[in-house]
């Protein structure tokens, strides 16, 4: 069972790409769902494994997902396409009209009876999991193509059952898609006045409550789709506090006390007193959202290990452990600072979170720069844009300047005329007669 979402966004200005609804609403929901499933999957392991994936470069012709499909097809990934039972993708889910979400599926692949049957099961699981929540999920009335989604790259390889969750039926409800205005304010992540940053971090907004319900539905549907026990479903609930902290961290201020606890000390310099920039490019530090999501997913789904920092950084649980590094990844994070202390209490997190490069197969390994199958986007040049601003004077000052100019002109003309007409008198001097001799 594969669940996925895109991490990146873009806008006209590469340094301002907040992607609140186009990207963040979806992957925050998926992170919250993964956290809600941690205890349930540990207490009663479902029959199928749930794989969470977050793709970079999707706004540039699906770089991350096309690379993953390529690696799966060529046996270079931990999971083959043959082992993907079904796919659930979370798209834009932050701007729901009339509290509805729409379940989009591919009409072409559903012509296959076995694919159609699994899609039908997934849709039923999603609809039943929304029972009792403050929204409904529906299918579009008419058969229509999938909206822009990473799932399309998987369907190009082979027909796979899958559903894409969106907040629109046929056309985007996000008026500022891939724009600098697709930000926290547009997603209605707002706070009462006079709140400190720490108070805002803990304040559960209405948007956080709405996304928490979506995450709860996703988590329950995934557990059912993976063959989990029905009696566990009521215990699967997303945490609104986690959702509101992620919304604040990604869309308002990444340099906050919660994010600081979950990352290594050498990554602290990447946190800023501003929203996370989801633009991905050559010169842009695109690793920031990737590493943030990596550490969040590890902390939300992994476990804390009582081992030394040295063993943690050496990817092992004890001196004699030679195999754990192949099963798990270990990361030493800063942890929280005790009251009245500046020294943090770090700890080791063990998880199954891994990074895989999101590089178009057209560049590596194919080196086919005219490929029509894979993305060939690149950046050829960055040039600083400069401009000069001239202030326009007020109308009164302009008239005064014009009047003074005319006055000076008339004065100079009169003076010139006077001097010219009186030149004989003004410039005459006593001359000696021409017949004077010496």
């Amino acid at each position: 069972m594969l669940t996925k979402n895109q991490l990146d966004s873009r806008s006209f200005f590469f340094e301002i790409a907040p992607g609140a609804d186009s990207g963040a609403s979806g992957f925050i929901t998926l992170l919250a769902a993964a956290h809600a499933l941690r205890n349930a999957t540990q207490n009663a392991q479902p029959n199928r494994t749930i794989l969470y994936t977050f793709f970079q470069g999707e706004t540039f012709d699906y770089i991350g997902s096309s690379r993953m499909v390529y690696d799966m097809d060529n046996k270079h990934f931990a999971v083959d396409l043959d082992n993907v039972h079904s796919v659930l993708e979370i798209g834009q889910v932050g701007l729901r009209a009339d509290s509805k979400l729409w379940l989009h599926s591919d009409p072409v692949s559903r012509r296959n009876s076995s694919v159609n049957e699994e899609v039908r099961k997934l849709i039923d699981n999603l609809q039943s999991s929304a029972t009792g929540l403050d929204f409904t999920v529906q299918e579009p009335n008419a058969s229509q193509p999938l909206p822009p989604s990473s799932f399309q790259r998987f369907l190009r390889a082979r027909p796979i059952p899958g559903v894409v969750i969106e907040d629109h039926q046929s056309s985007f409800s996000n008026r500022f898609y891939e724009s600098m205005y697709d930000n926290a304010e547009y997603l209605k992540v707002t706070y009462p006045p006079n709140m400190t940053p720490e108070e805002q971090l803990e304040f559960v907004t209405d948007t956080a409550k709405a996304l928490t319900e979506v995450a709860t539905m996703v988590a329950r549907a995934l557990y059912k789709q993976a063959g989990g026990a029905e009696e566990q479903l009521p215990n699967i609930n997303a945490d609104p506090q986690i959702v509101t902290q992620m919304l604040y961290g990604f869309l308002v201020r990444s340099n906050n006390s919660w994010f600081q606890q979950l990352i290594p000390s050498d990554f602290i310099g990447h946190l800023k007193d501003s929203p996370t920039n989801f633009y991905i490019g050559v010169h842009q530090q695109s690793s920031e959202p990737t590493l943030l999501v990596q550490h969040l997913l590890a902390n939300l789904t992994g476990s804390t290990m009582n081992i030394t920092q040295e063993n943690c950084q050496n990817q092992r649980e004890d001196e004699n452990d030679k195999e754990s590094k192949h099963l798990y990844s270990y990361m030493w994070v800063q942890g929280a600072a005790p009251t009245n202390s500046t020294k943090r209490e770090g700890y080791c997190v063990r998880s199954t979170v891994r990074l895989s490069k999101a590089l178009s197969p057209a560049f590596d390994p194919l080196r086919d720069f005219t490929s029509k199958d894979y993305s060939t986007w690149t950046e050829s040049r960055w040039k600083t844009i400069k401009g000069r601003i001239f202030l326009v004077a007020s109308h009164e000052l302009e008239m005064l300047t014009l009047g003074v100019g005319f006055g000076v002109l008339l004065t100079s003309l009169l003076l010139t005329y006077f001097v010219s007409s009186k030149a004989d008198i003004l410039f005459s001097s006593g001359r000696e007669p021409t017949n004077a001799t010496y």
Side-chain angles (χ1 to χ4, degrees):
M1 180 68 195
L2 180 66
T3 59
K4 53 195 178 65
N5 191 266
Q6 76 173 49
L7 284 181
D8 59 310
S9 179
R10 64 178 175 183
S11 69
F12 183 81
F13 302 97
F14 79 96
E15 72 277 11
I16 309 176
D21 188 39
S22 59
S25 66
F27 74 72
I28 288 175
T29 299
L30 183 53
L31 284 169
H35 176 249
L37 283 170
R38 178 175 63 178
N39 292 335
T41 53
Q42 291 176 350
N43 296 334
Q45 185 71 30
N47 299 330
R48 302 187 184 98
T49 300
I50 302 173
L51 176 63
Y52 308 105
T53 56
F54 300 84
F55 295 129
Q56 274 283 19
E58 295 302 277
T59 55
F60 293 101
D61 290 344
Y62 310 112
I63 293 175
S65 56
S66 63
R67 180 57 187 243
M68 180 173 170
V69 172
Y70 177 86
D71 288 343
M72 283 180 161
D73 233 359
N74 290 274
K75 314 299 182 183
H76 296 154
F77 198 76
V79 178
D80 297 337
L81 281 174
D82 295 333
N83 296 322
V84 177
H85 173 267
S86 52
V87 173
L88 178 63
E89 180 170 351
I90 307 173
Q92 303 176 81
V93 293
L95 298 169
R96 303 196 302 276
D98 301 324
S99 295
K100 290 181 181 178
L101 287 177
W102 298 92
L103 308 179
H104 297 266
S105 57
D106 176 49
V108 178
S109 61
R110 291 187 68 173
R111 294 172 185 170
N112 182 305
S113 59
S114 60
V115 171
N116 182 62
E117 182 181 355
E118 289 300 330
V119 171
R120 188 72 261 162
K121 289 180 181 178
L122 180 54
I123 291 175
D124 291 341
N125 287 336
L126 287 164
Q127 290 178 332
S128 62
S129 297
T131 303
L133 301 177
D134 195 24
F135 65 94
T136 60
V137 289
Q138 298 180 11
E139 291 184 86
N141 295 328
S143 176
Q144 61 184 29
L146 276 175
S149 55
S150 306
F151 183 40
Q152 295 187 15
R153 293 300 312 189
F154 288 80
L155 291 173
R156 288 183 64 176
R158 64 185 62 186
I160 297 176
V163 168
V164 179
I165 306 176
E166 296 281 2
D167 59 10
H168 58 272
Q169 180 177 4
S170 57
S171 59
F172 282 2
S173 57
N174 185 357
R175 295 181 295 136
F176 299 124
Y177 180 75
E178 306 295 11
S179 160
M180 63 184 291
Y181 298 109
D182 184 13
N183 54 20
E185 183 180 359
Y186 182 58
L187 203 58
K188 299 180 180 178
V189 180
T190 56
Y191 305 92
N194 303 322
M195 269 193 170
T196 65
E198 282 300 314
E199 290 172 338
Q200 291 178 346
L201 178 65
E202 302 296 330
F203 181 78
V204 180
T205 62
D206 290 338
T207 302
K209 295 175 183 176
L211 291 184
T212 299
E213 291 208 325
V214 181
T216 298
M217 177 201 69
V218 169
R220 292 176 180 177
L222 288 174
Y223 192 71
K224 292 176 68 175
Q225 185 73 7
E230 291 280 342
E231 58 269 17
Q232 288 288 332
L233 295 178
N235 300 323
I236 300 176
N237 294 285
D239 185 349
Q241 197 67 48
I242 294 290
V243 175
T244 203
Q245 289 174 323
M246 287 192 286
L247 284 171
Y248 180 83
F250 285 114
L251 302 182
V252 180
R253 180 185 175 128
S254 63
N255 188 19
N256 60 77
S257 59
W258 190 59
F259 274 13
Q260 291 170 7
Q261 297 176 30
L262 307 181
I263 62 173
S265 57
D266 56 357
F267 186 60
I268 193 70
H270 290 268
L271 301 183
K272 303 174 183 176
D273 296 333
S274 60
T276 304
N277 184 12
F278 294 107
Y279 185 93
I280 182 171
V282 175
H283 294 294
Q284 174 63 28
Q285 292 295 328
S286 56
S287 62
E288 179 186 344
T290 301
L291 294 178
L292 279 176
V293 171
Q294 177 196 11
H295 288 89
L296 276 171
L297 185 61
N299 279 273
L300 295 177
T301 61
S303 56
T304 302
M305 304 302 296
N306 186 23
I307 59 176
T308 64
Q309 182 175 358
E310 181 183 0
N311 282 344
C312 185
Q313 293 173 339
N314 289 332
Q315 302 290 299
R316 64 191 183 198
E317 295 185 21
D318 56 58
E319 296 296 334
N320 299 319
D321 186 6
K322 306 297 183 183
E323 299 297 329
S324 60
K325 67 174 63 178
H326 302 296
L327 300 175
Y328 303 101
S329 63
Y330 298 80
M331 55 185 69
W332 186 267
V333 298
Q334 290 195 119
T339 307
N340 300 326
S341 175
T342 57
K343 185 177 181 181
R344 295 181 177 273
E345 297 179 350
Y347 58 92
C348 185
V349 176
R350 185 184 75 175
S351 71
T352 55
V353 177
R354 303 283 182 175
L355 291 179
S356 176
K357 64 180 177 181
L359 180 63
S360 173
F363 299 143
D364 178 31
L366 299 179
R367 301 192 65 78
D368 180 8
F369 305 122
T370 60
S371 173
K372 295 182 180 179
D373 295 321
Y374 301 105
S375 172
T376 53
W377 281 86
T378 187
E379 294 175 346
S380 58
R381 183 185 186 193
W382 276 113
K383 184 179 180 181
T384 303
I385 300 175
K386 296 181 179 179
R388 298 177 66 187
I389 299 176
F390 298 91
L391 296 178
V392 177
S394 66
H395 181 70
E396 292 77 10
L397 182 58
E398 289 179 335
M399 292 297 101
L400 177 62
T401 304
L402 182 62
V404 171
F406 272 119
V408 172
L409 175 62
L410 291 175
T411 302
S412 63
L413 290 175
L414 290 173
L415 183 61
T416 302
Y417 173 78
F418 175 78
V419 171
S420 177
S421 64
K422 304 296 183 180
D424 291 341
I425 299 174
L426 295 173
F427 301 110
S428 66
S429 60
R431 293 185 179 182
E432 294 181 354
T434 57
N435 57 356
T437 57
Y438 295 92

